[in-house]
Amino acid sequence: METGYITTPFGRRSMTLALVKRQVETKQDLADRSVDKWRVFRDVGDARSRLGLQDRALAVLNALLSFYPATELGSDKNLIVFPSNAQLSARANGIAGTTLRKCLGVLVEAGIIIRKDSPNGKRYARKGDEGAIEDAYGFSLAPLLARAAEFAALAQDVAAEQRRFRAMKDRLTVVRRDVRKLITVGMEEGLPGDWVAAEDYFVELVGRFSRRPTLQDLAASLDEMTLLHDEVSNMLEVQEEVGKNDGNGIANGCHIQNSNTDSCNEFEPRFEKKQGERSEPTKRTGRKGEPEVFPLSMVLRACPEMTAYGPGGSIGSWREMMAAAVTIRQMLGVSPSAYEEACEILGQTGAAIAIGCILERTSHINSAGGYLRDLTAKARRGEFSLGPMLFAQLRANSLPRRASA
């Protein structure tokens, strides 16, 4: 076989260890076999993204194969073709000479063909007395035969990835549509919750979609859009449940009459009222004056560090979350008066959410107490809503996951 001898390129083209290794591996992998040259060509074309080949390189490979007289590439046959550049260019749709040489180099580097240069760099064949080719100089197609199974496996892998890509893209389209319509329902029906913040997050997320996404891009976008879908769905489903939990938290608690920082019921705000006067329920301010309602699961995803401060290192209810907020309040040095004021303006769950978000951003906040007082003052003036803060924290927590996808 012509692959039994390691050849080096003519002229200034350098020889590399990788080229030596490919020639040795080709020789070792050649067995008593044959394969349809056009079938291998189709597999190489399907796997071109994995092999680093562009369309023009495939056109040159197609031209090279057209100079091989038989349909089957066999180990018992001469696998070297020796067309001139002019002949190759003519069969490769008139490709320019510079581009032709570049494509040939790409095919060699990819291990698709092997150069076998003559002493003077020309491509030709020597024939014996009976007209059979005894020796030839040009390009060996032996790698196509030796790597036929590898190319077929790569082509199948690429096809499977394309199927996953299409399925994931369809899924993202459906989830995106569902989120858009669910947010519209919440806004048009005037349901409790910061739907404007949810819509802003949705628009920002869609704006980050790549025009030519990879499978990893789609997976990251689908992950974030699914998270938003879950939270928006919960905002629609748990309105009554959250309202009951908040009402029970107020009804079962007691008022704070002192500033004892060790009190386990500190999350209950203090209301000053005259004798015989009815207590007004805590009012939470949100956009358009509605109370801000968020699913507990959404809050814990946005503020995962709170979980460690819950009873037994976990949080399973709003009351446990508010208890955890008291512990965090003490740790951050927030005064009882600042926290009570936040409870009166934001509501007890709202104040706990604010504490959780502050905990997540402690490295960026100089004074937690001052920051909470500033948020409370803005909420009193109608300039602050928990929704944007919560969705911003959700988005910030999703960044590491996207980077690792």
Short mmCIF file of all heavy atoms in Angstrom, two decimals, residues 3 18-19 22-23 25-26 30 37 40-54 57-62 64-65 73 79 81 103-115 139-148 150-152 154:
data_model
loop_
_atom_site.label_atom_id
_atom_site.label_comp_id
_atom_site.label_asym_id
_atom_site.label_seq_id
_atom_site.Cartn_x
_atom_site.Cartn_y
_atom_site.Cartn_z
N THR A 3 0.37 3.74 1.77
CA THR A 3 0.42 4.30 3.10
C THR A 3 1.48 3.64 3.97
O THR A 3 1.61 3.95 5.13
CB THR A 3 -0.95 4.13 3.80
OG1 THR A 3 -1.29 2.76 3.75
CG2 THR A 3 -2.02 4.96 3.12
N ALA A 18 1.67 15.87 14.28
CA ALA A 18 0.27 15.47 14.07
C ALA A 18 0.09 14.80 12.72
O ALA A 18 -0.65 13.81 12.60
CB ALA A 18 -0.63 16.70 14.18
N LEU A 19 0.78 15.33 11.69
CA LEU A 19 0.68 14.72 10.37
C LEU A 19 1.30 13.33 10.35
O LEU A 19 0.79 12.40 9.71
CB LEU A 19 1.36 15.62 9.33
CG LEU A 19 0.69 16.98 9.07
CD1 LEU A 19 1.51 17.79 8.08
CD2 LEU A 19 -0.73 16.80 8.56
N ARG A 22 -1.14 10.95 12.03
CA ARG A 22 -2.28 10.61 11.19
C ARG A 22 -1.91 9.56 10.14
O ARG A 22 -2.68 8.66 9.85
CB ARG A 22 -2.84 11.87 10.52
CG ARG A 22 -3.52 12.82 11.48
CD ARG A 22 -4.33 13.86 10.73
NE ARG A 22 -4.82 14.87 11.65
CZ ARG A 22 -4.29 16.08 11.78
NH1 ARG A 22 -3.26 16.43 11.04
NH2 ARG A 22 -4.80 16.95 12.63
N GLN A 23 -0.72 9.71 9.56
CA GLN A 23 -0.29 8.73 8.56
C GLN A 23 -0.12 7.34 9.19
O GLN A 23 -0.54 6.34 8.62
CB GLN A 23 1.03 9.17 7.92
CG GLN A 23 0.88 10.37 7.01
CD GLN A 23 2.13 10.62 6.19
OE1 GLN A 23 2.77 9.68 5.70
NE2 GLN A 23 2.48 11.89 6.01
N GLU A 25 -1.60 6.21 11.97
CA GLU A 25 -2.91 5.69 12.35
C GLU A 25 -3.69 5.21 11.14
O GLU A 25 -4.40 4.20 11.20
CB GLU A 25 -3.69 6.77 13.10
CG GLU A 25 -3.15 7.08 14.49
CD GLU A 25 -3.91 8.20 15.16
OE1 GLU A 25 -4.66 8.91 14.45
OE2 GLU A 25 -3.74 8.39 16.38
N THR A 26 -3.56 5.93 10.03
CA THR A 26 -4.25 5.52 8.81
C THR A 26 -3.76 4.16 8.34
O THR A 26 -4.53 3.28 7.95
CB THR A 26 -4.05 6.57 7.71
OG1 THR A 26 -4.62 7.81 8.14
CG2 THR A 26 -4.71 6.13 6.42
N LEU A 30 -6.22 0.70 8.30
CA LEU A 30 -6.63 0.12 7.03
C LEU A 30 -6.65 -1.40 7.14
O LEU A 30 -5.66 -2.02 7.48
CB LEU A 30 -5.67 0.54 5.92
CG LEU A 30 -5.88 1.94 5.33
CD1 LEU A 30 -4.82 2.23 4.30
CD2 LEU A 30 -7.27 2.07 4.72
N LYS A 37 -17.60 5.56 -1.51
CA LYS A 37 -16.96 6.85 -1.31
C LYS A 37 -17.98 7.99 -1.10
O LYS A 37 -17.73 8.93 -0.34
CB LYS A 37 -16.06 7.19 -2.49
CG LYS A 37 -16.77 7.37 -3.83
CD LYS A 37 -15.78 7.70 -4.94
CE LYS A 37 -16.49 7.92 -6.28
NZ LYS A 37 -15.54 8.23 -7.37
N VAL A 40 -19.34 7.94 2.50
CA VAL A 40 -18.39 8.57 3.42
C VAL A 40 -18.42 10.08 3.26
O VAL A 40 -18.37 10.84 4.24
CB VAL A 40 -16.96 8.04 3.19
CG1 VAL A 40 -15.98 8.71 4.14
CG2 VAL A 40 -16.91 6.54 3.38
N PHE A 41 -18.52 10.53 2.01
CA PHE A 41 -18.57 11.97 1.75
C PHE A 41 -19.78 12.59 2.43
O PHE A 41 -19.69 13.69 3.01
CB PHE A 41 -18.62 12.23 0.24
CG PHE A 41 -18.78 13.68 -0.11
CD1 PHE A 41 -17.72 14.57 0.01
CD2 PHE A 41 -20.00 14.15 -0.57
CE1 PHE A 41 -17.87 15.91 -0.32
CE2 PHE A 41 -20.17 15.49 -0.90
CZ PHE A 41 -19.09 16.37 -0.77
N ARG A 42 -20.94 11.93 2.36
CA ARG A 42 -22.14 12.46 3.03
C ARG A 42 -21.94 12.52 4.54
O ARG A 42 -22.37 13.48 5.19
CB ARG A 42 -23.35 11.60 2.67
CG ARG A 42 -23.85 11.80 1.23
CD ARG A 42 -25.22 11.17 1.04
NE ARG A 42 -25.19 9.72 1.24
CZ ARG A 42 -24.94 8.84 0.27
NH1 ARG A 42 -24.67 9.27 -0.96
NH2 ARG A 42 -24.96 7.55 0.53
N ASP A 43 -21.31 11.51 5.10
CA ASP A 43 -21.05 11.51 6.55
C ASP A 43 -20.12 12.65 6.94
O ASP A 43 -20.33 13.33 7.96
CB ASP A 43 -20.45 10.17 6.99
CG ASP A 43 -21.46 9.04 6.93
OD1 ASP A 43 -22.67 9.32 6.94
OD2 ASP A 43 -21.03 7.86 6.87
N VAL A 44 -19.07 12.87 6.13
CA VAL A 44 -18.16 13.98 6.40
C VAL A 44 -18.91 15.31 6.31
O VAL A 44 -18.71 16.21 7.13
CB VAL A 44 -16.96 13.95 5.42
CG1 VAL A 44 -16.13 15.23 5.55
CG2 VAL A 44 -16.09 12.74 5.68
N GLY A 45 -19.79 15.42 5.30
CA GLY A 45 -20.57 16.65 5.17
C GLY A 45 -21.49 16.88 6.36
O GLY A 45 -21.61 18.00 6.85
N ASP A 46 -22.14 15.83 6.84
CA ASP A 46 -23.04 15.97 7.99
C ASP A 46 -22.26 16.33 9.26
O ASP A 46 -22.79 17.02 10.14
CB ASP A 46 -23.81 14.67 8.21
CG ASP A 46 -24.82 14.40 7.10
OD1 ASP A 46 -25.17 15.35 6.38
OD2 ASP A 46 -25.25 13.23 6.95
N ALA A 47 -21.02 15.84 9.34
CA ALA A 47 -20.21 16.08 10.55
C ALA A 47 -19.23 17.24 10.36
O ALA A 47 -18.28 17.38 11.13
CB ALA A 47 -19.45 14.81 10.91
N ARG A 48 -19.44 18.07 9.34
CA ARG A 48 -18.46 19.12 9.02
C ARG A 48 -18.23 20.09 10.17
O ARG A 48 -17.13 20.60 10.34
CB ARG A 48 -18.88 19.88 7.77
CG ARG A 48 -20.21 20.61 7.87
CD ARG A 48 -20.56 21.23 6.51
NE ARG A 48 -21.85 21.92 6.52
CZ ARG A 48 -23.01 21.33 6.30
NH1 ARG A 48 -23.03 20.03 6.06
NH2 ARG A 48 -24.13 22.00 6.32
N SER A 49 -19.26 20.36 10.98
CA SER A 49 -19.06 21.29 12.10
C SER A 49 -18.10 20.71 13.13
O SER A 49 -17.34 21.45 13.77
CB SER A 49 -20.41 21.59 12.77
OG SER A 49 -21.01 20.40 13.26
N ARG A 50 -18.11 19.40 13.30
CA ARG A 50 -17.20 18.75 14.24
C ARG A 50 -15.78 18.64 13.67
O ARG A 50 -14.82 18.59 14.43
CB ARG A 50 -17.70 17.35 14.59
CG ARG A 50 -19.10 17.31 15.18
CD ARG A 50 -19.12 17.85 16.59
NE ARG A 50 -20.45 17.75 17.17
CZ ARG A 50 -20.92 16.69 17.80
NH1 ARG A 50 -20.15 15.61 17.92
NH2 ARG A 50 -22.14 16.69 18.31
N LEU A 51 -15.68 18.60 12.36
CA LEU A 51 -14.38 18.43 11.71
C LEU A 51 -13.75 19.77 11.32
O LEU A 51 -12.62 19.80 10.83
CB LEU A 51 -14.53 17.57 10.46
CG LEU A 51 -15.02 16.14 10.70
CD1 LEU A 51 -15.37 15.45 9.38
CD2 LEU A 51 -13.96 15.33 11.44
N GLY A 52 -14.48 20.85 11.52
CA GLY A 52 -13.95 22.17 11.20
C GLY A 52 -13.89 22.46 9.71
O GLY A 52 -12.98 23.16 9.25
N LEU A 53 -14.84 21.94 8.96
CA LEU A 53 -14.85 22.11 7.50
C LEU A 53 -15.94 23.07 7.07
O LEU A 53 -17.05 23.05 7.63
CB LEU A 53 -15.06 20.76 6.81
CG LEU A 53 -14.05 19.66 7.11
CD1 LEU A 53 -14.42 18.39 6.36
CD2 LEU A 53 -12.63 20.09 6.74
N GLN A 54 -15.63 23.92 6.10
CA GLN A 54 -16.61 24.80 5.50
C GLN A 54 -17.11 24.20 4.18
O GLN A 54 -16.57 23.20 3.68
CB GLN A 54 -15.99 26.18 5.25
CG GLN A 54 -15.47 26.86 6.50
CD GLN A 54 -16.58 27.21 7.48
OE1 GLN A 54 -17.71 27.47 7.06
NE2 GLN A 54 -16.27 27.21 8.77
N ALA A 57 -14.50 23.69 1.38
CA ALA A 57 -13.62 22.53 1.57
C ALA A 57 -14.33 21.25 1.15
O ALA A 57 -13.72 20.33 0.57
CB ALA A 57 -13.18 22.44 3.03
N LEU A 58 -15.64 21.18 1.42
CA LEU A 58 -16.41 20.01 0.99
C LEU A 58 -16.51 19.94 -0.53
O LEU A 58 -16.48 18.85 -1.12
CB LEU A 58 -17.81 20.05 1.61
CG LEU A 58 -17.90 19.82 3.11
CD1 LEU A 58 -19.33 19.98 3.58
CD2 LEU A 58 -17.38 18.43 3.48
N ALA A 59 -16.61 21.10 -1.17
CA ALA A 59 -16.65 21.12 -2.63
C ALA A 59 -15.34 20.60 -3.22
O ALA A 59 -15.34 19.86 -4.22
CB ALA A 59 -16.93 22.54 -3.13
N VAL A 60 -14.23 20.95 -2.59
CA VAL A 60 -12.93 20.45 -3.06
C VAL A 60 -12.82 18.95 -2.82
O VAL A 60 -12.31 18.21 -3.67
CB VAL A 60 -11.78 21.21 -2.35
CG1 VAL A 60 -10.43 20.59 -2.70
CG2 VAL A 60 -11.80 22.68 -2.75
N LEU A 61 -13.30 18.48 -1.67
CA LEU A 61 -13.28 17.04 -1.40
C LEU A 61 -14.14 16.29 -2.41
O LEU A 61 -13.76 15.20 -2.88
CB LEU A 61 -13.77 16.77 0.03
CG LEU A 61 -13.85 15.30 0.45
CD1 LEU A 61 -12.47 14.64 0.37
CD2 LEU A 61 -14.42 15.17 1.86
N ASN A 62 -15.29 16.85 -2.74
CA ASN A 62 -16.15 16.24 -3.75
C ASN A 62 -15.42 16.14 -5.09
O ASN A 62 -15.51 15.11 -5.79
CB ASN A 62 -17.42 17.07 -3.90
CG ASN A 62 -18.38 16.50 -4.93
OD1 ASN A 62 -19.11 15.56 -4.67
ND2 ASN A 62 -18.35 17.09 -6.13
N LEU A 64 -12.14 15.99 -5.52
CA LEU A 64 -11.09 14.96 -5.40
C LEU A 64 -11.68 13.56 -5.58
O LEU A 64 -11.10 12.71 -6.27
CB LEU A 64 -10.41 15.07 -4.04
CG LEU A 64 -9.41 16.21 -3.85
CD1 LEU A 64 -8.97 16.32 -2.38
CD2 LEU A 64 -8.18 16.02 -4.74
N LEU A 65 -12.82 13.31 -4.96
CA LEU A 65 -13.44 11.99 -5.07
C LEU A 65 -13.89 11.70 -6.50
O LEU A 65 -13.92 10.53 -6.92
CB LEU A 65 -14.65 11.90 -4.12
CG LEU A 65 -14.31 11.79 -2.62
CD1 LEU A 65 -15.58 11.91 -1.79
CD2 LEU A 65 -13.61 10.47 -2.33
N LEU A 73 -14.16 2.66 -2.18
CA LEU A 73 -12.79 2.85 -1.71
C LEU A 73 -12.36 1.53 -1.07
O LEU A 73 -12.98 1.08 -0.10
CB LEU A 73 -12.71 3.98 -0.67
CG LEU A 73 -13.04 5.39 -1.15
CD1 LEU A 73 -13.07 6.35 0.04
CD2 LEU A 73 -12.05 5.87 -2.19
N LEU A 79 -5.28 4.38 -3.74
CA LEU A 79 -6.19 5.39 -3.18
C LEU A 79 -5.68 6.81 -3.39
O LEU A 79 -6.16 7.74 -2.74
CB LEU A 79 -6.39 5.13 -1.69
CG LEU A 79 -7.08 3.81 -1.33
CD1 LEU A 79 -7.11 3.62 0.18
CD2 LEU A 79 -8.49 3.78 -1.90
N VAL A 81 -5.26 10.14 -5.73
CA VAL A 81 -5.71 10.87 -6.91
C VAL A 81 -4.71 11.98 -7.17
O VAL A 81 -4.12 12.53 -6.23
CB VAL A 81 -7.14 11.42 -6.72
CG1 VAL A 81 -8.14 10.29 -6.66
CG2 VAL A 81 -7.24 12.28 -5.46
N CYS A 103 -8.19 25.33 0.99
CA CYS A 103 -9.12 24.23 1.30
C CYS A 103 -8.39 22.89 1.34
O CYS A 103 -8.70 22.04 2.19
CB CYS A 103 -10.24 24.19 0.26
SG CYS A 103 -11.39 25.57 0.36
N LEU A 104 -7.43 22.70 0.46
CA LEU A 104 -6.65 21.47 0.49
C LEU A 104 -5.88 21.36 1.80
O LEU A 104 -5.81 20.27 2.40
CB LEU A 104 -5.68 21.42 -0.70
CG LEU A 104 -6.31 21.20 -2.08
CD1 LEU A 104 -5.28 21.39 -3.17
CD2 LEU A 104 -6.93 19.79 -2.17
N GLY A 105 -5.32 22.48 2.25
CA GLY A 105 -4.61 22.47 3.53
C GLY A 105 -5.54 22.14 4.70
O GLY A 105 -5.16 21.42 5.63
N VAL A 106 -6.78 22.67 4.64
CA VAL A 106 -7.76 22.39 5.69
C VAL A 106 -8.10 20.90 5.71
O VAL A 106 -8.21 20.29 6.79
CB VAL A 106 -9.03 23.24 5.48
CG1 VAL A 106 -10.16 22.77 6.41
CG2 VAL A 106 -8.73 24.71 5.73
N LEU A 107 -8.28 20.30 4.55
CA LEU A 107 -8.60 18.87 4.47
C LEU A 107 -7.45 18.02 5.01
O LEU A 107 -7.68 17.01 5.69
CB LEU A 107 -8.90 18.49 3.02
CG LEU A 107 -10.21 19.04 2.44
CD1 LEU A 107 -10.29 18.75 0.94
CD2 LEU A 107 -11.43 18.47 3.16
N VAL A 108 -6.23 18.44 4.75
CA VAL A 108 -5.07 17.71 5.28
C VAL A 108 -5.02 17.84 6.80
O VAL A 108 -4.82 16.85 7.53
CB VAL A 108 -3.76 18.24 4.64
CG1 VAL A 108 -2.55 17.62 5.35
CG2 VAL A 108 -3.72 17.89 3.16
N GLU A 109 -5.20 19.07 7.31
CA GLU A 109 -5.14 19.30 8.75
C GLU A 109 -6.25 18.55 9.48
O GLU A 109 -6.08 18.11 10.62
CB GLU A 109 -5.24 20.79 9.06
CG GLU A 109 -4.01 21.60 8.69
CD GLU A 109 -2.80 21.17 9.51
OE1 GLU A 109 -2.97 20.86 10.70
OE2 GLU A 109 -1.69 21.15 8.95
N ALA A 110 -7.40 18.40 8.85
CA ALA A 110 -8.53 17.70 9.47
C ALA A 110 -8.38 16.19 9.39
O ALA A 110 -9.20 15.45 9.95
CB ALA A 110 -9.84 18.12 8.80
N GLY A 111 -7.34 15.71 8.70
CA GLY A 111 -7.14 14.26 8.60
C GLY A 111 -8.08 13.60 7.62
O GLY A 111 -8.35 12.39 7.74
N ILE A 112 -8.58 14.36 6.63
CA ILE A 112 -9.50 13.80 5.63
C ILE A 112 -8.71 13.19 4.47
O ILE A 112 -9.09 12.17 3.89
CB ILE A 112 -10.46 14.88 5.10
CG1 ILE A 112 -11.16 15.58 6.27
CG2 ILE A 112 -11.48 14.28 4.15
CD1 ILE A 112 -12.02 14.68 7.10
N ILE A 113 -7.61 13.85 4.12
CA ILE A 113 -6.73 13.35 3.05
C ILE A 113 -5.28 13.45 3.53
O ILE A 113 -4.99 14.11 4.53
CB ILE A 113 -6.90 14.16 1.73
CG1 ILE A 113 -6.57 15.64 1.98
CG2 ILE A 113 -8.30 13.98 1.17
CD1 ILE A 113 -6.64 16.49 0.71
N ILE A 114 -4.37 12.80 2.82
CA ILE A 114 -2.93 12.85 3.12
C ILE A 114 -2.18 13.23 1.85
O ILE A 114 -2.46 12.71 0.77
CB ILE A 114 -2.43 11.49 3.63
CG1 ILE A 114 -3.05 11.15 4.99
CG2 ILE A 114 -0.90 11.49 3.75
CD1 ILE A 114 -2.67 9.76 5.50
N ARG A 115 -1.28 14.17 2.01
CA ARG A 115 -0.45 14.54 0.86
C ARG A 115 0.60 13.46 0.60
O ARG A 115 1.21 12.94 1.52
CB ARG A 115 0.29 15.86 1.13
CG ARG A 115 -0.57 17.10 1.20
CD ARG A 115 0.30 18.32 1.39
NE ARG A 115 -0.48 19.52 1.63
CZ ARG A 115 -0.96 20.32 0.68
NH1 ARG A 115 -0.74 20.00 -0.60
NH2 ARG A 115 -1.67 21.38 0.98
N PHE A 139 -2.88 13.16 -3.72
CA PHE A 139 -3.58 13.14 -2.43
C PHE A 139 -4.14 11.74 -2.19
O PHE A 139 -4.85 11.19 -3.03
CB PHE A 139 -4.73 14.16 -2.40
CG PHE A 139 -4.27 15.58 -2.54
CD1 PHE A 139 -4.38 16.23 -3.75
CD2 PHE A 139 -3.70 16.26 -1.47
CE1 PHE A 139 -3.95 17.54 -3.90
CE2 PHE A 139 -3.27 17.56 -1.61
CZ PHE A 139 -3.39 18.21 -2.82
N SER A 140 -3.81 11.19 -1.02
CA SER A 140 -4.30 9.86 -0.66
C SER A 140 -5.67 9.98 0.01
O SER A 140 -5.87 10.78 0.93
CB SER A 140 -3.32 9.17 0.29
OG SER A 140 -3.88 7.96 0.77
N LEU A 141 -6.61 9.18 -0.44
CA LEU A 141 -7.96 9.12 0.14
C LEU A 141 -8.07 8.04 1.22
O LEU A 141 -9.16 7.76 1.70
CB LEU A 141 -8.99 8.85 -0.96
CG LEU A 141 -9.00 9.84 -2.14
CD1 LEU A 141 -10.03 9.41 -3.18
CD2 LEU A 141 -9.29 11.25 -1.66
N ALA A 142 -6.92 7.47 1.60
CA ALA A 142 -6.92 6.39 2.58
C ALA A 142 -7.59 6.77 3.90
O ALA A 142 -8.28 5.93 4.51
CB ALA A 142 -5.49 5.91 2.83
N PRO A 143 -7.44 8.03 4.41
CA PRO A 143 -8.12 8.36 5.67
C PRO A 143 -9.63 8.21 5.60
O PRO A 143 -10.27 7.89 6.61
CB PRO A 143 -7.72 9.82 5.90
CG PRO A 143 -6.41 9.97 5.21
CD PRO A 143 -6.54 9.11 3.98
N LEU A 144 -10.21 8.44 4.42
CA LEU A 144 -11.66 8.27 4.29
C LEU A 144 -12.07 6.82 4.52
O LEU A 144 -13.12 6.53 5.11
CB LEU A 144 -12.13 8.72 2.90
CG LEU A 144 -12.04 10.23 2.63
CD1 LEU A 144 -12.37 10.52 1.17
CD2 LEU A 144 -12.99 10.99 3.56
N LEU A 145 -11.24 5.91 4.06
CA LEU A 145 -11.51 4.48 4.27
C LEU A 145 -11.22 4.10 5.72
O LEU A 145 -12.03 3.40 6.35
CB LEU A 145 -10.65 3.65 3.32
CG LEU A 145 -10.74 2.12 3.47
CD1 LEU A 145 -12.16 1.64 3.25
CD2 LEU A 145 -9.76 1.45 2.50
N ALA A 146 -10.10 4.55 6.25
CA ALA A 146 -9.71 4.17 7.61
C ALA A 146 -10.65 4.74 8.66
O ALA A 146 -10.90 4.10 9.69
CB ALA A 146 -8.28 4.64 7.88
N ARG A 147 -11.18 5.94 8.42
CA ARG A 147 -12.02 6.62 9.42
C ARG A 147 -13.51 6.60 9.07
O ARG A 147 -14.29 7.37 9.64
CB ARG A 147 -11.55 8.07 9.58
CG ARG A 147 -10.10 8.22 9.99
CD ARG A 147 -9.70 9.69 10.08
NE ARG A 147 -10.45 10.40 11.10
CZ ARG A 147 -10.39 11.73 11.28
NH1 ARG A 147 -9.62 12.47 10.49
NH2 ARG A 147 -11.10 12.31 12.23
N ALA A 148 -13.90 5.74 8.17
CA ALA A 148 -15.29 5.71 7.72
C ALA A 148 -16.27 5.51 8.88
O ALA A 148 -17.29 6.20 8.98
CB ALA A 148 -15.48 4.61 6.67
N GLU A 150 -15.75 6.19 12.05
CA GLU A 150 -15.71 7.39 12.89
C GLU A 150 -16.57 8.51 12.31
O GLU A 150 -17.33 9.17 13.03
CB GLU A 150 -14.26 7.87 13.03
CG GLU A 150 -14.12 9.16 13.83
CD GLU A 150 -12.72 9.72 13.77
OE1 GLU A 150 -11.80 9.01 13.31
OE2 GLU A 150 -12.53 10.90 14.15
N PHE A 151 -16.45 8.72 10.99
CA PHE A 151 -17.25 9.77 10.35
C PHE A 151 -18.74 9.45 10.45
O PHE A 151 -19.56 10.35 10.63
CB PHE A 151 -16.83 9.93 8.89
CG PHE A 151 -15.43 10.44 8.70
CD1 PHE A 151 -14.65 10.00 7.64
CD2 PHE A 151 -14.87 11.35 9.58
CE1 PHE A 151 -13.37 10.47 7.46
CE2 PHE A 151 -13.59 11.83 9.42
CZ PHE A 151 -12.82 11.38 8.36
N ALA A 152 -19.09 8.18 10.30
CA ALA A 152 -20.50 7.79 10.41
C ALA A 152 -21.03 8.06 11.80
O ALA A 152 -22.16 8.56 11.98
CB ALA A 152 -20.66 6.31 10.06
N LEU A 154 -19.87 10.29 13.97
CA LEU A 154 -19.97 11.74 14.13
C LEU A 154 -21.23 12.28 13.47
O LEU A 154 -21.92 13.14 14.03
CB LEU A 154 -18.73 12.42 13.53
CG LEU A 154 -17.44 12.38 14.35
CD1 LEU A 154 -16.29 12.99 13.56
CD2 LEU A 154 -17.61 13.12 15.68
#
